Amino acid sequence: MIDINSLVKTVPEIQIIITKNFKKRRKEHKITQKELSYRSGVPVPSIKRFEQKGDISLASLIKIANVLELENDLITLFTK
C-alpha cells in the first residue's frame, strides 16, 4: 500500500527546490544579485532572503521572473 503522505512534499522542501531552480536560472543568465536588484527594482536583501529561505512576496517574484524571462512559468503555474 502506498503512503500518500510520503508522496507529498513539505513547504520547506518545495521552497528549497524553487530557490535552487531560481538561482540556477539567474546564474545561467549571468546576472548577479545586485544586477537583478537594479533591473527588477527588488532590493538585494529580498533577493538574498529568497535564495536562502524561499521567502519573497508574489509581486517581487513576478518582477524578478520578468527580468529572467520566466514570467510564462508563473502564468501557467496553476493552470492544470
Side-chain angles (χ1 to χ4, degrees), residues 51-66:
E51 288 190 359
Q52 293 171 354
K53 299 179 181 180
D55 182 29
I56 194 165
S57 73
L58 180 57
S60 292
L61 182 60
I62 292 168
K63 289 176 184 178
I64 61 178
N66 284 337

Side-chain angles (χ1 to χ4, degrees), residues 66-80:
N66 284 337
V67 172
L68 298 177
E69 300 173 349
L70 299 171
E71 60 275 0
N72 285 335
D73 292 340
L74 290 178
I75 290 169
T76 60
L77 186 60
F78 298 111
T79 56
K80 290 186 180 181

Side-chain angles (χ1 to χ4, degrees), residues 13-49:
E13 289 170 332
I14 294 169
Q15 286 174 304
I16 289 169
I17 293 167
I18 291 171
T19 57
K20 282 183 181 180
N21 290 340
F22 167 78
K23 193 172 183 179
K24 183 178 178 183
R25 297 285 99 64
R26 178 177 63 77
K27 289 184 175 190
E28 285 174 355
H29 281 79
K30 298 179 179 158
I31 296 176
T32 64
Q33 290 177 340
K34 186 175 180 179
E35 183 179 353
L36 182 59
S37 172
Y38 175 76
R39 291 174 59 185
S40 68
V42 176
V44 172
S46 294
I47 293 170
K48 286 183 178 187
R49 187 175 59 250

